[in-house]
Amino acid sequence: MLYDLNIAWSPSTPLAELERTLKFAKSLGYDVVALTHAIPLPIPTTPSSIVSPLPTLAPSPLLPTILRRATLTITDPATTNYRLPDFARAYDLLALRPANDKAFSWACLSTTEIPALISLDMTAFLGWHIHHRTAMAAVHRGSRFEICYSQALGSHVDARMRANFIGNVMGLLRATKGRGVVVSSEARSALGLRGPADVVNLMAVWGLGPEKGTEAIGTGARAVVVNEGIRRRGFRGVVDIVKPAEAPPVSEEDTAAAEKGKAEKAASGKARKKAGQGQKRKNGDENQGTISKRQAKKLRGDAIKGAADG
């Protein structure tokens, strides 16, 4: 199965345009996609319930499986940390987009809710160095780094943005050595999507080998979805809460057969009990005509004594 965990959505996106993009993704071979709601700054900090505004589309063989995702741009971790569990409950996937060095270190090491994805804006000048130890600490915690290839495509991308993208991607791949990387599109329309083979070739040009590139849109992305599903259905990621099994419906014929079997079993038990009682009485009658060895010995002794007296 192939995954695209980032298809951009906004409240102004027409539903017909969204369906066209999803159908095109399905035709390219993507089985699971994630609609992304980018939470605008400032992130709401009031203790109110969070509801996903993403539209719900009816299941169709022409559409892939659709997940709900929230992407939070982080500038000040202190104002966002305690809200992460609320966003995690409202969406299927939670992604963080750090905007500075402090936010990046926090997203990798210190979040209360481990994000499924850490997604950077690769077209911007980051202003900090991605260290191997920090990046791998995030991977060991369970997060994955996301590379969105459509950031480098399109007419709105100039030469400077494309140069930043290539340099940042190479820096991320150097820090992670290609491990813990997921490739998505972040396409805003069908024009931003590329086929799986094209994605693997693009990533190979930018420094990610074909084998790891295929894993980044396949098994690696699937691991993110499965882990997040287990985390939401389980207790601390250990116990998976599943629906208890229900007994199948019993027909009238099965009920009649079960009652007949019970009756036959009861009758057979009564017959065995009666036969056992008869055998016990028979054995008792037979035992009445016999004497024990001690009685026989006593009778012989009495006979010998009587003969001697006579």
Side-chain angles (χ1 to χ4, degrees), residues 28 96 114 130 144 166 199 203 208 231 288:
L28 291 176
L96 301 181
I114 301 175
I130 302 176
R144 295 294 181 267
I166 295 174
V199 174
M203 297 309 301
L208 188 65
R231 186 181 300 174
Q288 289 179 0

Side-chain angles (χ1 to χ4, degrees), residues 87-285:
F87 283 101
R89 284 190 293 268
Y91 295 87
D92 298 317
L93 299 176
L94 176 63
L96 301 181
R97 177 158 289 180
N100 50 51
D101 189 10
K102 179 181 178 181
F104 179 76
S105 299
W106 169 79
C108 293
L109 305 174
S110 307
T111 56
T112 55
E113 181 75 20
I114 301 175
L117 296 168
I118 299 175
S119 178
L120 299 172
D121 183 4
M122 297 294 188
T123 60
F125 176 70
L126 295 182
W128 75 87
H129 182 70
I130 302 176
H131 295 281
H132 169 74
R133 182 174 298 179
T134 304
M136 294 313 299
V139 173
H140 293 155
R141 290 182 74 204
S143 298
R144 295 294 181 267
F145 290 96
E146 181 184 49
I147 299 174
C148 302
Y149 60 82
S150 69
Q151 293 178 355
L153 307 175
S155 57
H156 66 284
V157 182
D158 57 21
R160 185 59 184 173
M161 295 171 65
R162 190 170 289 110
N164 287 337
F165 180 89
I166 295 174
N168 292 331
V169 168
M170 294 179 64
L172 177 62
L173 295 178
R174 181 190 65 253
T176 61
K177 298 182 180 179
R179 292 176 290 180
V181 173
V182 171
V183 177
S184 305
S185 65
E186 203 177 84
R188 302 184 181 278
S189 66
L191 296 177
L193 293 171
R194 296 294 184 272
D198 294 336
V199 174
V200 173
N201 290 336
L202 278 174
M203 297 309 301
V205 171
W206 293 331
L208 188 65
E211 182 178 351
K212 291 186 177 179
T214 303
E215 182 181 348
I217 60 175
T219 56
R222 179 182 182 276
V224 173
V225 176
V226 172
N227 290 341
E228 290 302 303
I230 293 175
R231 186 181 300 174
R232 282 157 175 74
R233 296 194 310 270
F235 175 72
R236 296 183 180 178
V238 177
V239 181
D240 192 8
I241 303 173
V242 298
K243 184 179 180 181
E246 297 179 355
V250 181
S251 63
E252 295 181 357
E253 296 179 356
D254 295 337
T255 304
E259 294 294 336
K260 183 179 179 181
K262 290 181 180 179
E264 292 177 352
K265 185 177 180 180
S268 176
K270 291 181 179 179
R272 287 196 301 270
K273 184 177 180 181
K274 186 175 181 181
Q277 291 176 351
Q279 183 68 24
K280 185 175 181 180
R281 287 196 298 268
K282 182 179 179 181
N283 293 338
D285 295 340

